Structures are given as structure tokens and as C-alpha cells.
């Protein structure tokens, strides 16, 4: 048996039938639609195989936070930590899962892509990055922990890695491929993520945070409208945490925060759009997925609804942006305040709203939920099958 055939068999055994399995993110589908539509198809297609695990873990996570809102689990920190690890594992390591899943469409090695994503989650590196010290490598800035959670960033890097891998596979001799192709792919793409794209992502996030902070200080309702409208986009970009320093500063100085209620409004918009899909769709699988992901979004776990339904169907995602903007503007207009920052941002967050503004929070959440659902229903969407 020659070396090239041996190499192909080893790679085939490692990847199984993953490349041959038809998915909604097929190359044919990739060529259709405008660039934004293709981007949405690519992102949501990468999430399709992961959705069952996300829904299961998300349900456990939601139950934990509901129990906590009623005062349970607080007396046993160890039990809470273990349960949270069970429910949050897939969300913490989501970039790794997404990187591996994206290879189904890119036609590259699943485990090389997973290794690229996993490189920034090593415990020692994570501890170093979170130590508060300035971390540099040969004088270069290093990726921040927040940037490592960016779905867009990891997909860009894995996309580049797929081209690097295919180019190397074409020009490296067959007897050397098994060692050289994955090694060089990792050597080329991981530094790009850690020392180039990651710091750039952090730089952009900091400027967005500064801009939104200025808007909240000077424009009020406009800031709520903007943040509520783009919150889902920030989550995709891995920049959902950019406002936390401002929220923490407000809590320390004033004893309350007005940004977290806007985040809650955006979460309810995801739930509303998912339920809009539930009532509009004629497809049984779509209705089932919309119901369960919408329920999770109501409970504060928005990723399954966003990646599995609203982005997948595209127009409901537009409804999410509008609903989040309307609810966010209402929250700021009526000065809705939270006394803490919650781990989830759905209905369980009501316990964190300052008593005197609790009613406004209810109305703001309803505005986001109902407007996103109604817009989804009347705007319509292509009622295609979603395999979950």
C-alpha cells in the first residue's frame, strides 16, 4: 500500500462520513443568495448539528436559574457549581464545537479545526489572560478571553485554515502530508487568531463599547434603541460582554444599572420571533424547534433560538433587531433599573429589577416579545425544513 493511499485511509477513518453527509450548508446552497444571506446560511448551518446538545444543556441551565430565582441552590455553592458546569459546558466551549461543525461545509479536517478553536481555551492560557497582567508574546498583543468566544472570529479563522490545509495538501508530497499538513495548518492559523485577529477584535469591541457608553451618557433613548437593536449581532460577534465594565461601574457608583434591562429586552425579542415562527410555519419540525428554542429564550438562553431559527430563516432575525430596539428604547425612556447583572437575561431576570421600575420592565419585555413575534408573522419567511 503506497503512502498516499495510507494517508487518505487514515484521514477517512478519522473523519468518518462527515464530508459526505448532506447538510443544509451544502456547497450548492452556499452559492445561492446575496453575501449576507450566504453568511447567515454558513453560520446557522454550522450550528444545526449542535442544536440538540444546546437545547438540552440550555434547558438545564434555565432550570438552574429559575430555581435560583426562588432561592434554591444558594445554600449549596458546590452543587450550584457542578450543575452550572453540566449546563454551561457546551456554551463555554461553543467555538470548538462550531469550528468542528463548520468543516462539514468547508471540506476540511474536523479535528484540526477543533484544535484551532481549542488552542485559546487551555486552562493555563485562560488563567494567564484573566490574571489582569499585560500578556504579550514576542512583543505582540494576545487575544482577550472575550474575543475567544466570538463565533464570527472562529469561523473566519477556520475558513482560512480550510484554504491553508487544501493548498498544503495540493503541493506537499504524499509521503509527508500526514505530518506536515496538519502541523503547518495549526502553525499558520493559530498565531493569526491569537496575535492578529483576536487583538483586532478586542480593539473593535473596545471602541464599540466606548461609543455605546457615550450614547448612554448623552442620548438616552437613542442608546437603548441602538443597543437593543444590535445586541443579537454583538452576541454573534462575541462582543456581548463589552458593556459589562460600564454596568459594573454604574452599579458601584449609583447602586443600579440601566443597560441590563435593555439586554433583557433583546433576549425577549428572540423569544418573540421564535414564537412568531411557531404560529406562522406549516412545517412540523420547524414548529417544534421554534417552540422549544423560543421557550429557552424566554428563560434567558437565546443561542438556540438565534442560531437555530431566527438566523436560519433570516427575516425573523430582522424582526428580532426591531423588537429588541423598541423594547430597549422603552426601557431607557422609563428609566428601568436593575440592581445586579444576571447570568441569563430572560424572565428570571425580573428578580433583579429595581422594585419601583418593575412594571416598566414587564412592559418593555412585552414590547420586545410581541413586536418581534408580530413582525415575524406578517413579514413571513421561506418555510424551509430545519433538520435539528
Amino acid at each position: 500500500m503506497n503512502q498516499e493511499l495510507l494517508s487518505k485511509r487514515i484521514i477517512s477513518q478519522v473523519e468518518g462520513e462527515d464530508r459526505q453527509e448532506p447538510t443544509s450548508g451544502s456547497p450548492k446552497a452556499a452559492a445561492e443568495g446575496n453575501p449576507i444571506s450566504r453568511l447567515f446560511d454558513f453560520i446557522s448551518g454550522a450550528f444545526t448539528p449542535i442544536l440538540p446538545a444546546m437545547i438540552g444543556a440550555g434547558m438545564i441551565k434555565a432550570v438552574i436559574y429559575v430555581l435560583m430565582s426562588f432561592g434554591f441552590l444558594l445554600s449549596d455553592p458546590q452543587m450550584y457549581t457542578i450543575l452550572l458546569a453540566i449546563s454551561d459546558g457546551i456554551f463555554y466551549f461553543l467555538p470548538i464545537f462550531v469550528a468542528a461543525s463548520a468543516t462539514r461545509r468547508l471540506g476540511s479536517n474536523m479535528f484540526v479545526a477543533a484544535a484551532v478553536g481549542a488552542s485559546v481555551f487551555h486552562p493555563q492560557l485562560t488563567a494567564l489572560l484573566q490574571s489582569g497582567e499585560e500578556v504579550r508574546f514576542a512583543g505582540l498583543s494576545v487575544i482577550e478571553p472575550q474575543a475567544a468566544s466570538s463565533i464570527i472570529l472562529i469561523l473566519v479563522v477556520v475558513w482560512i485554515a480550510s484554504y491553508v490545509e487544501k493548498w498544503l495538501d495540493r503541493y506537499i508530497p504524499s509521503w509527508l502530508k500526514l505530518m506536515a499538513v496538519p502541523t503547518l495548518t495549526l502553525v499558520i492559523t493559530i498565531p493569526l487568531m491569537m496575535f492578529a485577529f483576536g487583538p483586532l477584535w478586542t480593539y473593535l469591541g473596545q471602541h464599540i463599547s466606548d461609543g455605546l457608553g457615550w450614547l448612554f451618557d448623552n442620548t438616552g433613548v437613542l442608546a437603548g434603541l441602538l443597543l437593543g437593536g444590535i445586541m443579537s449581532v454583538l452576541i454573534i460577534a462575541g462582543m456581548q460582554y463589552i458593556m459589562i465594565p460600564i454596568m459594573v461601574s454604574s452599579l458601584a457608583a449609583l447602586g443600579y444599572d440601566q443597560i441590563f434591562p435593555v439586554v433583557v429586552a433583546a433576549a425577549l425579542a428572540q423569544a418573540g420571533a421564535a414564537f412568531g415562527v411557531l404560529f406562522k410555519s406549516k412545517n412540523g419540525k420547524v414548529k417544534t424547534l421554534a417552540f422549544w428554542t423560543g421557550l429557552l429564550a424566554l428563560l434567558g438562553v437565546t443561542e438556540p433560538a438565534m442560531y437555530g431559527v431566527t438566523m436560519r430563516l433570516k427575516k425573523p432575525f430582522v424582526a428580532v433587531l426591531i423588537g429588541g430596539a423598541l423594547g430597549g428604547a422603552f426601557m431607557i425612556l422609563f428609566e428601568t433599573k436593575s440592581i445586579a447583572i444576571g447570568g441569563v437575561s430572560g424572565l428570571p431576570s425580573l428578580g433583579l429589577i429595581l422594585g419601583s421600575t418593575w412594571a416598566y420592565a414587564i412592559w418593555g419585555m412585552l414590547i420586545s416579545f410581541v413586536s418581534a413575534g408580530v413582525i415575524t408573522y406578517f413579514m413571513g419567511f421561506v418555510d424551509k425544513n430545519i433538520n435539528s
Side-chain angles (χ1 to χ4, degrees), residues 4 33 104 110 115 122 124 182 186 221 259 262 291 305 333 348 372 378:
E4 184 173 4
R104 296 162 62 88
M110 175 186 297
H122 193 281
Q124 290 184 335
L186 294 175
V221 174
I259 297 177
V262 177
F291 171 76
L333 179 63
F378 286 103

Side-chain angles (χ1 to χ4, degrees), residues 16 27-28 37 76 92 123 181 192 206 208 212 230 232 235 250-251 254 261 268 335 340-341 359 385:
K28 181 179 179 181
S37 177
D76 193 338
Y92 182 81
V181 172
L192 274 178
Q206 184 59 55
I208 293 173
L212 288 171
I230 68 170
S232 294
I235 292 174
S250 177
L251 288 170
L254 304 174
L268 267 291
E335 299 182 351
I341 303 170
N385 187 47

Side-chain angles (χ1 to χ4, degrees), residues 119-135:
S119 63
V120 293
F121 288 98
H122 193 281
Q124 290 184 335
L125 178 61
T126 301
L128 179 63
L129 294 174
Q130 294 177 343
S131 65
E133 302 177 6
E134 183 181 12
V135 180

Side-chain angles (χ1 to χ4, degrees), residues 152 229-239 270 306 317 321:
I152 292 290
I230 68 170
M231 192 64 213
S232 294
V233 178
L234 292 178
I235 292 174
I236 299 169
M239 296 180 180
Q270 285 286 353
M306 180 166 65
F317 190 78
L321 304 184

Side-chain angles (χ1 to χ4, degrees), residues 219-265:
T219 65
V221 174
L222 178 61
L225 185 79
L226 183 61
L227 180 60
I230 68 170
M231 192 64 213
S232 294
V233 178
L234 292 178
I235 292 174
I236 299 169
M239 296 180 180
Q240 65 268 41
Y241 304 114
I242 61 175
M243 300 302 291
I244 286 182
I246 299 175
M247 289 189 261
V248 171
S249 176
S250 177
L251 288 170
L254 304 174
Y256 63 83
D257 166 64
Q258 289 185 269
I259 297 177
F260 184 66
V262 177
V263 177
V264 174

Side-chain angles (χ1 to χ4, degrees), residues 73-84:
L73 301 180
L74 298 178
S75 60
D76 193 338
Q78 292 185 349
M79 180 184 292
Y80 164 75
T81 300
I82 293 171
L83 289 175
L84 186 64

